[in-house]
Amino acid sequence: MKKILLAMLIVLIAVGTTSCGGQKEQVLHVYTWSEYIDPEIYTMFQEETGIQVVEDIFGSNEDLLAKLQGGATGYDVIVPSDYMVAMMIEMDMLAELDKSRLTTLDNLDPTFTNPPFDPNMEHCLPYFWGTTGIGFNWNDWDEAPNSWAYIFDPELAQEFEGQISLLDDMREVFGAALIYLGYSPGTTSEAELTEARDLILAIKPYVHTFESDTYEDLMLTGETALAHGWSGDIFVAQGEDENIDYIIPQEGAVMWVDNLCITKDAAEDDDRLDMVYQWIDYLNRPDIAAINTNWVWYASPNKAAEDGILEEILTYPAIYPDAETFAKLQYLGTVGDATEMYSRMWTEIKTE
Ligand code: N2P
């Protein structure tokens, strides 16, 4: 009898440490970009499933990769962009997506269900897509700065000396400079990349900062006037100051798709995997995807969400570009072994 009581006590203690209101405490770890989800969604998800989501932030695909390669474990869902998904698949860093565990797949726009970087969505589910262009303030302009020249032509950039921010993102900065020069943003030519590096070095004296997480705040405080940046970040700033605007320059721009991917680490644990699929399925629900889009102001690959997305977002050409603009957008693409050349020249830019 005593033994049974003791056993019961032990069970009670064990349950007590892992439970809350009779439910097992479950924690899901996501590693994502800054301000990339309506925080309300974390609360709603926890209320519905009992799963708490803990978020950690990275500033670029390269930072994400370095962190995982450095041996960081514990992340369940990560959010790499297109070319990084392809690189991670190649390096065998992502689990396969078991589509039979998702109930919301039909909500996706077919344009996004067979992406070149992850054919047939074998690994990841698209989360948001957008463009990388120029944030500006109408106080400085009669007509929108419709060219990368305002950032990359030293004479024009000089007018905004100390007021320009560039993303702290190797592929994005080279990508913009390469597009301005008329080259592919995923070039592997040393001559082209050298030209881009020299161009960036020529305008570097006018750059206030390389920043990817809070650069839109610098526009709001007036510290910067021109920002190389991601569409949604700048539109969210516009919500606080209507003079701030965003443009996809006439030369074209980088387009990206960010994706919900499962780490190999999480895939080894049934409990973690179970939370992962609940989370991905939840985010891909039309009502949740719409709430999220209305908060981040990026375009959603979730077609069924459109009913709930604000009309002003759906009809905004810089978010859902028209066919002519769309044709000028390019993925960064993988560059294979040339990655080392990019890294070397990026270091030269940052340390010079
Ligand atoms: C959100 C950043 C968007 C990520 N703050 C661009 N790939």
Side-chain angles (χ1 to χ4, degrees), residues 33-36 61 81 172 212-213 215-216 230 233 256 258 298:
W33 305 82
S34 67
E35 292 169 77
Y36 213 20
N61 283 294
S81 309
E172 288 280 17
S212 302
D213 298 333
Y215 63 96
E216 67 272 33
W230 293 306
D233 293 347
W256 43 264
D258 294 336
Y298 286 105

